[in-house]
Amino acid sequence: MLTAAWAYPAPTGLVGVQAGGVLLGAGWLALHASQRMLVGVRTAWTLRSDEIWRCPHALARPVFRIGGLIVIAASIAAPAVPGRTTEAVPLTTLAVLPAASYVFAVHERRRTP
Protein backbone atom coordinates (compact mmCIF):
# COMPACT_ATOMS: atom_id res chain seq x y z
CA MET A 1 0.00 0.00 0.00
CA LEU A 2 2.80 2.41 0.91
CA THR A 3 4.69 1.68 -2.29
CA ALA A 4 1.57 2.54 -4.30
CA ALA A 5 1.33 5.89 -2.53
CA TRP A 6 4.95 6.68 -3.37
CA ALA A 7 4.22 6.11 -7.08
CA TYR A 8 2.22 9.35 -7.22
CA PRO A 9 4.08 12.61 -7.78
CA ALA A 10 4.96 14.75 -4.77
CA PRO A 11 2.69 17.73 -4.14
CA THR A 12 4.02 20.82 -5.82
CA GLY A 13 2.96 24.35 -6.52
CA LEU A 14 -0.05 25.65 -4.65
CA VAL A 15 -0.65 22.46 -2.63
CA GLY A 16 2.92 22.48 -1.34
CA VAL A 17 2.73 26.17 -0.48
CA GLN A 18 -0.49 25.52 1.43
CA ALA A 19 1.11 22.59 3.28
CA GLY A 20 4.03 24.85 4.23
CA GLY A 21 1.55 27.47 5.41
CA VAL A 22 -0.12 24.87 7.63
CA LEU A 23 3.27 24.06 9.17
CA LEU A 24 3.96 27.76 9.76
CA GLY A 25 0.55 28.10 11.42
CA ALA A 26 1.20 25.03 13.55
CA GLY A 27 4.44 26.61 14.75
CA TRP A 28 2.56 29.70 15.88
CA LEU A 29 -0.19 27.63 17.48
CA ALA A 30 2.26 25.37 19.32
CA LEU A 31 3.64 28.31 21.24
CA HIS A 32 0.18 29.42 22.36
CA ALA A 33 -1.32 25.99 23.08
CA SER A 34 -2.20 25.00 26.63
CA GLN A 35 -2.67 21.52 28.05
CA ARG A 36 -6.42 21.97 28.00
CA MET A 37 -6.57 22.62 24.26
CA LEU A 38 -7.11 19.92 21.66
CA VAL A 39 -3.95 20.86 19.78
CA GLY A 40 -0.33 20.40 20.69
CA VAL A 41 2.17 17.64 21.35
CA ARG A 42 -0.19 15.54 23.47
CA THR A 43 1.82 12.58 24.71
CA ALA A 44 1.77 10.89 28.10
CA TRP A 45 4.99 12.72 28.95
CA THR A 46 3.86 16.23 28.05
CA LEU A 47 0.62 15.89 30.00
CA ARG A 48 2.49 15.13 33.25
CA SER A 49 3.55 18.66 34.08
CA ASP A 50 3.41 22.22 32.80
CA GLU A 51 7.20 22.43 32.44
CA ILE A 52 7.41 19.32 30.28
CA TRP A 53 4.50 20.69 28.22
CA ARG A 54 6.29 24.00 27.58
CA CYS A 55 9.67 22.55 26.51
CA PRO A 56 8.60 20.58 23.40
CA HIS A 57 6.23 23.38 22.40
CA ALA A 58 9.03 25.92 22.63
CA LEU A 59 11.03 23.61 20.38
CA ALA A 60 8.06 23.14 18.03
CA ARG A 61 7.91 26.78 17.01
CA PRO A 62 11.29 26.95 15.20
CA VAL A 63 11.01 23.35 13.97
CA PHE A 64 7.62 23.98 12.34
CA ARG A 65 8.71 27.36 10.98
CA ILE A 66 11.85 25.97 9.37
CA GLY A 67 9.93 22.94 8.09
CA GLY A 68 7.21 25.15 6.64
CA LEU A 69 9.73 27.38 4.91
CA ILE A 70 11.54 24.35 3.45
CA VAL A 71 8.27 22.92 2.13
CA ILE A 72 7.29 26.25 0.57
CA ALA A 73 10.71 26.68 -1.03
CA ALA A 74 10.69 23.09 -2.32
CA SER A 75 7.19 23.55 -3.74
CA ILE A 76 8.15 26.67 -5.63
CA ALA A 77 11.41 25.17 -6.90
CA ALA A 78 9.88 21.71 -7.48
CA PRO A 79 11.59 20.92 -10.78
CA ALA A 80 14.99 21.64 -9.25
CA VAL A 81 14.41 19.74 -5.97
CA PRO A 82 15.01 15.99 -6.25
CA GLY A 83 13.04 13.46 -4.24
CA ARG A 84 10.03 14.00 -2.04
CA THR A 85 11.11 16.93 0.11
CA THR A 86 7.59 18.29 0.42
CA GLU A 87 6.52 15.08 2.16
CA ALA A 88 9.68 14.12 4.04
CA VAL A 89 10.04 17.44 5.88
CA PRO A 90 6.58 17.42 7.54
CA LEU A 91 6.93 13.75 8.49
CA THR A 92 10.35 14.39 10.02
CA THR A 93 9.02 17.45 11.81
CA LEU A 94 6.17 15.46 13.30
CA ALA A 95 8.54 12.68 14.40
CA VAL A 96 10.93 15.04 16.22
CA LEU A 97 8.40 16.51 18.66
CA PRO A 98 7.18 13.34 20.44
CA ALA A 99 10.79 12.20 20.73
CA ALA A 100 11.73 15.57 22.21
CA SER A 101 8.87 15.36 24.72
CA TYR A 102 10.20 11.98 25.86
CA VAL A 103 13.73 13.37 26.26
CA PHE A 104 12.43 16.32 28.30
CA ALA A 105 10.37 13.96 30.50
CA VAL A 106 13.36 11.71 31.18
CA HIS A 107 15.48 14.74 32.03
CA GLU A 108 12.75 16.04 34.36
CA ARG A 109 12.44 12.66 36.07
CA ARG A 110 16.20 12.55 36.71
CA ARG A 111 16.15 16.08 38.16
CA THR A 112 13.28 15.34 40.54
CA PRO A 113 14.40 13.40 43.63
Side-chain angles (χ1 to χ4, degrees):
M1 182 77 168
L2 184 60
T3 54
W6 282 92
Y8 295 102
T12 58
L14 183 60
V15 174
V17 171
Q18 290 172 339
V22 168
L23 283 176
L24 288 171
W28 178 86
L29 189 59
L31 190 64
H32 300 289
S34 70
Q35 284 182 326
R36 291 174 267 311
M37 293 180 72
L38 294 175
V39 296
V41 184
R42 299 184 61 84
T43 64
W45 309 294
T46 57
L47 296 175
R48 282 189 197 155
S49 75
D50 288 336
E51 185 176 344
I52 296 174
W53 176 267
R54 281 189 298 272
C55 291
H57 289 85
L59 174 68
R61 185 174 186 182
V63 168
F64 276 129
R65 280 184 167 178
I66 292 169
L69 292 174
I70 290 172
V71 170
I72 290 171
S75 304
I76 292 170
V81 177
R84 304 182 69 85
T85 307
T86 55
E87 294 169 0
V89 170
L91 293 176
T92 305
T93 302
L94 293 175
V96 165
L97 298 175
S101 69
Y102 174 75
V103 169
F104 288 124
V106 168
H107 178 69
E108 174 78 15
R109 190 179 316 143
R110 288 183 183 163
R111 258 190 345 174
T112 307

